[in-house]
Structure formats: structure tokens, C-alpha cells
Amino acid sequence: MERDLARLSDTVHDVIVVGGGIHGACIAWDAALRGLRVALLERDDFGGATSANSLRIVHGGLRYLARGDWRRMRESVRERSALLRIAPTLVEPLPVLVPTSGAGTQSRLALGSGIALNDLLTLDRNRGLDADHRLARGRLLSLADCRRRFPAFPTAEATGGALWYDARLRHPERLTLAFVRSAMARGAVAANHCRFEEVLVSNGEVRGVKATDTLSGETVEARGRTVMVAAGPWTGALAEPGRRAGPQAFALNLVIDRSLGNAAVGARAHSGVDRDPIIGGHRFIFLVPQGETTLLGTWYALDDGREPGQLIAEGTAALLGEFQTAFPALALDQTDVLRCQWGRLPLRGGREPGRADALADRPVLTDHGASGGIRGMYSVEGVKFTTARHVAERAVDRIVTALGEAVDRCRTAETRVDAGEGQEGARVGGQSVLHAVRAEMAVTLSDVVFRRIGSGAPPEPAAETVAEAAGIAAEELGWTTARRDAEIEDVMRQLKPGGSFSRPLA
């Protein structure tokens, strides 16, 4: 796995993918697996923004079942099974437990009927899965059983609990990287820290892109027949310069320095619509296991132009308050917060039915040439990590049709991805740093520490360990002393209690 800018310029690519988050990585993998010539450009690091800051639950669409949205529920189930099948070392079954209460939609009758219907409609959920990755049937638990599983289970109004199985992303960044690795193994050219500048056009048609290597400042030109922009909240502006950005939500999760069990536990937040305008009040909040830590999520706010630091501070206080109310026995406070994870998600904004300020449910795939724009220019704005593989399949179908190529059918739902050589969950050390730099395209210390080695669980690397890793990377990558010190400062900032893995991106 090599960052080869020369190959990027020397080849005429069938598709140039702009954006190396989960959607761009899946598009590159699908296109390469079908035999297309692919280039993938990422401004920062693969999976380093919103894709890294997931709550890590791969949802099977139980919420869609409650709405009667069978099509989206079945899509979520298929994609959950696909991820368990193609990346078994990075995606695993996850029990999910929520309280039952009262006589309405949260009652034992309602939730028991819901999980029974869910099991009936998903009889194929374990097709092709390894024995230890098959999802068991859901069931109702007594209040005593819930307390045995999770001693801090909220019992004030609970009559018991409903248990079902979804899946968990062990390390979202490494799953994104696995798609990139797999694409490169099939001939794709990929470059992180390579910023897209503009599309190159001749007679109204795509001829390639101009980009900047942010490490050297050099300009890179890549020739291509089509361009697919999959850059999360920056997609619209990159695909159509001057276009007004669509409304976005700021989404925040907290990482606390405690392990609370092996199941995700949810409860209704007490916040009404005035404090939760994006979801509409009384949303489910979840505690999600993450090794020796636990994720708390999710808090949403309108991304209204305020500095991320302001939103992080407001969201941390609000989310902690909601968990303190829902799970008083945990006695959580600010000192438990190890770090914050945040990203941006699209809102409906009038592009789909429902409130304009609600979270978007449907990905948007655009052929810009069909609406008077540059021919061969496409973009995709995804909404969920869970369904990224299927969104990529649709996007590549569109490109294949436009190119008129006879290629293999999509096989990404069955073909296992290259998860690497056991770096997931490793500790920062000499060999792991060298492997990250030499074999996994890590070119900054943050790449190494947060997205290759995966030191998300305590004990986190001490300052001395970070400095040692920086020294190894500096020697391998030719950093100056000033560059090495700046890299150390950046990593240590993110490791501070309450520090944020995702930094503002212009």
C-alpha cells in the first residue's frame, strides 16, 4: 500500500473518486473490483472525519420497521449482514438492550411484538456468516435480568427490557482503510493528504482533476473519464463551485474512561423539542462498548456557523446531562470524559419529505451533466455508514452505464476486504509505527496513532511513547525537528481529556 503520486498522473482513469471517507472508499473498491481503472483522492486521511466519529452501531433498521418503511428496513438488514460477512475481524455482533415501560410504544407488548416481527422478516440475516457472527433472535427480559446484565439499568419506570442484536464497528477508521487497501490490491491508485482543487474540462466534459499534495505543496494533475465526488459535507461545494451548501447537523459523541459491559444500552432522553430540534425530542441515547471505554451518543445541533469548540462545549454539557438523568446510577460527570468525537451530517433541507431540519434519510446521487453541468461529473451525499456499500454499488452502476463498459457485476456484498495485518487494537511501538508508515500510507503522527494503530482504548500512549513514535516516523519520513514537534503537539492536543479526534476542516 503505497502513496504513489506518479501513477496518479501517468494513467487515464475510468473514474476519479474525490473523498476518502466510507462512501468514497466503498466506491473505489466496487469500481476496482469490477475492473475499472480507479483513482482515489483524500484531502486529509482516509476515514479521518465524520466516518471515524460514528457511534459504531451498524443498525439493522428496527426503527424503520416501527415506521412501516419495509424497503429501508430490508436494505439495512442486508447491509448489516454484508459488513459482518466481508469484514468479520472489524465488524461483530452487538446485543442492544432498551427498557420496556408503560402501555404505549415502549410497552412489553409493543417492543416484544416488534422484535418478534423483526426476527420473522430477517430470517436470512445470517446467510453466509461465520458461526460466531450469526445474530440470535431478540427477546424480552425481566427487570432482574436487565439489572444482572447492566447494574445501572434505568429502573424508575421500567417493567423489564427488550434485547435484540445489531452489529458493532470495532474500528471505523480501519474498516474504511480496508476498503482502500482492497481497491489498491485490484489496481486502484490512492493518495491521502491530496486536496482536490478543480475539475479539468474540455468541451463541457470531464478530462481529469487538478489536486495539491498538501505535504509538498506540489500540483498534481490526474486524467480521468469521470469524476465522482463523495466528500461528505463538502460534496456540493466541490461538485458545483459556488453552490450554496445544504443544511448540516453537528453530531457529537463522548468517549468515557469506563467499560460498562458488552451490550449497547439505550434509553429515551428527557429533552423536549426545544432542546432537541433535529430529532424532535425524546430521542434514544445509547451507551456503546468500545474496548476499555464506552461511547455516549448522540447529541445533535444545527451547524449554524459557530466554531466547533463552542458546539462541543454545549453538546458535552447537554449530553452528559441527558445521561445523568437517564442513568443516574452511573454518576457520570465531566471528569469521566476522555475525548469527544464529532462530525457533520446532512439535513433533509426540502430534498425529501418531512421537516427540513430533520436528519436526512436518503442518500443523494447526482449526475451533474444531466442537469446542464459538466458531463462525466457525479456526486454522492451519503447519510449512513451502514448503507455505504450499497450506495457505492448504485454510484458505480451509474458510472458503468455512462461509460458503456462491459464489466463484472458488483461483488462487494460477498467479497471479503483486506483488513490488514493485525494492527487493529495494537499499542504504539516501534514495529507498529514502522508498519503504519511503510505499509499503510500513514504520513502524519495522527494518521499513525489514531487511524492505523488504533489506540482508542486506555491506557492511551503517554507523552514519552508519543515522542518515541514521532522520532521513528520522523526518521522514516524525513521530518525536520520543527515538523516532528508540531506533529507531537497535534497528537497530544487530541489526547487531552475532552480533546477532539476531529478537528475543524476548512
Side-chain angles (χ1 to χ4, degrees):
M1 187 174 178
E2 184 179 354
R3 189 173 182 270
D4 188 351
L5 296 180
R7 276 190 65 209
L8 191 63
S9 301
D10 292 346
T11 304
V12 178
H13 309 282
D14 294 314
V15 57
I16 299 172
V17 183
V18 177
I22 187 59
H23 286 86
C26 285
I27 291 167
W29 164 226
D30 190 334
L33 190 60
R34 298 200 211 189
L36 297 180
R37 293 165 297 180
V38 179
L40 173 64
L41 307 180
E42 163 54 40
R43 178 180 57 182
D44 293 290
D45 190 27
F46 303 120
T50 301
S51 295
N53 296 321
S54 157
L55 193 57
R56 303 196 177 201
I57 300 178
V58 182
H59 291 284
L62 195 59
R63 60 179 174 169
Y64 295 134
L65 176 63
R67 299 180 198 169
D69 192 339
W70 314 109
R71 183 187 61 79
R72 217 163 298 160
M73 179 247 184
R74 287 295 303 163
E75 178 193 34
S76 296
V77 170
R78 286 195 307 269
E79 295 310 305
R80 181 186 63 190
S81 295
L83 289 176
L84 286 163
R85 187 165 49 247
I86 67 176
T89 62
L90 296 174
V91 185
E92 62 187 5
L94 175 71
V96 182
L97 177 63
V98 300
T100 57
S101 62
T105 58
Q106 298 302 119
S107 69
R108 292 180 70 78
L109 175 61
L111 286 177
S113 299
I115 58 178
L117 180 58
N118 180 66
D119 288 334
L120 180 63
L121 294 174
T122 62
L123 292 175
D124 59 347
R125 64 186 179 276
N126 292 320
R127 181 182 63 81
L129 300 187
D130 294 343
D132 60 352
H133 275 54
R134 292 173 186 161
L135 304 182
R137 295 174 63 87
R139 62 189 186 276
L140 293 176
L141 300 180
S142 69
L143 193 54
D145 284 338
C146 294
R147 291 299 299 270
R148 278 192 288 271
R149 282 178 169 267
F150 186 74
F153 191 78
T155 57
E157 301 173 357
T159 56
L163 177 73
W164 72 88
Y165 289 83
D166 269 324
R168 181 176 79 95
L169 304 170
R170 291 171 58 86
H171 198 305
E173 302 94 325
R174 287 207 66 85
L175 181 57
T176 302
L177 188 66
F179 286 112
V180 177
R181 292 176 65 97
S182 301
M184 294 180 73
R186 291 282 179 158
V189 183
N192 53 350
H193 301 279
C194 190
R195 183 178 64 239
F196 168 82
E197 301 290 356
E198 61 178 323
V199 63
L200 302 176
V201 182
S202 176
N203 297 321
E205 190 169 352
V206 162
R207 286 292 179 263
V209 304
K210 182 183 291 186
T212 300
D213 177 3
T214 61
L215 303 178
S216 67
E218 295 180 4
T219 297
V220 180
E221 288 193 0
R223 292 173 294 163
R225 301 168 66 192
T226 63
V227 171
M228 175 66 74
V229 181
W234 303 277
T235 295
L238 293 180
E240 294 184 23
R243 170 182 154 187
R244 184 177 179 182
Q248 305 282 333
F250 183 94
L252 176 75
N253 299 318
L254 305 178
V255 183
I256 63 168
D257 195 5
R258 295 196 220 170
S259 174
L260 298 174
N262 63 359
V265 182
R268 289 281 186 185
H270 285 247
S271 301
V273 67
D274 56 328
R275 295 177 58 195
D276 182 20
I278 302 295
I279 305 301
H282 305 291
R283 74 191 185 284
F284 265 105
I285 52 176
F286 284 94
L287 300 150
V288 183
Q290 180 182 256
E292 297 175 52
T293 63
T294 302
L295 271 167
L296 311 183
T298 300
W299 178 81
Y300 302 96
L302 179 66
D303 186 14
D304 55 7
R306 284 181 288 169
E307 286 296 316
Q310 276 186 274
L311 290 165
I312 289 170
E314 179 184 333
T316 298
L319 195 55
L320 274 176
E322 290 175 328
F323 276 94
Q324 287 163 349
T325 300
F327 298 91
L330 290 177
L332 292 170
D333 61 34
Q334 184 73 46
T335 63
D336 291 300
V337 179
L338 191 62
R339 77 179 68 88
C340 307
Q341 296 183 173
W342 61 270
R344 295 182 174 95
L345 299 171
L347 298 175
R348 292 178 182 176
R351 295 191 299 184
E352 58 183 270
R355 291 186 295 110
D357 59 352
L359 289 177
D361 272 336
R362 301 173 184 176
V364 178
L365 177 59
T366 304
D367 176 351
H368 296 273
S371 56
I374 300 168
R375 295 189 302 279
M377 189 76 175
Y378 301 87
S379 67
V380 63
E381 298 173 73
V383 295
K384 292 200 305 180
F385 199 115
T386 299
T387 55
R389 188 217 62 84
H390 186 228
V391 173
E393 179 180 345
R394 291 171 49 203
V396 177
D397 284 346
R398 185 75 64 90
I399 291 171
V400 167
T401 299
L403 292 175
E405 297 284 346
V407 299
D408 296 338
R409 66 174 180 84
C410 176
R411 292 182 285 121
T412 56
E414 294 85 28
T415 308
R416 289 200 176 187
V417 294
D418 180 2
E421 301 176 3
Q423 288 288 291
E424 194 271 327
R427 295 297 174 195
V428 176
Q431 289 304 310
S432 60
V433 174
L434 286 175
H435 179 83
V437 172
R438 292 175 179 175
E440 296 193 325
M441 219 185 292
V443 292
T444 72
L445 194 59
S446 286
D447 295 348
V448 171
V449 173
F450 298 124
R451 291 177 293 279
R452 299 300 185 276
I453 296 175
S455 59
E460 294 198 316
E464 295 81 5
T465 305
V466 172
E468 180 184 353
I472 296 167
E475 184 173 349
E476 192 72 16
L477 295 167
W479 293 344
T480 63
T481 300
R483 169 72 185 275
R484 181 201 64 197
D485 292 346
E487 295 283 341
I488 292 172
E489 182 180 354
D490 181 51
V491 168
M492 295 310 299
R493 175 186 58 79
Q494 296 181 70
L495 287 173
K496 288 178 182 178
S500 170
F501 265 178
S502 186
R503 54 185 183 275
L505 302 173

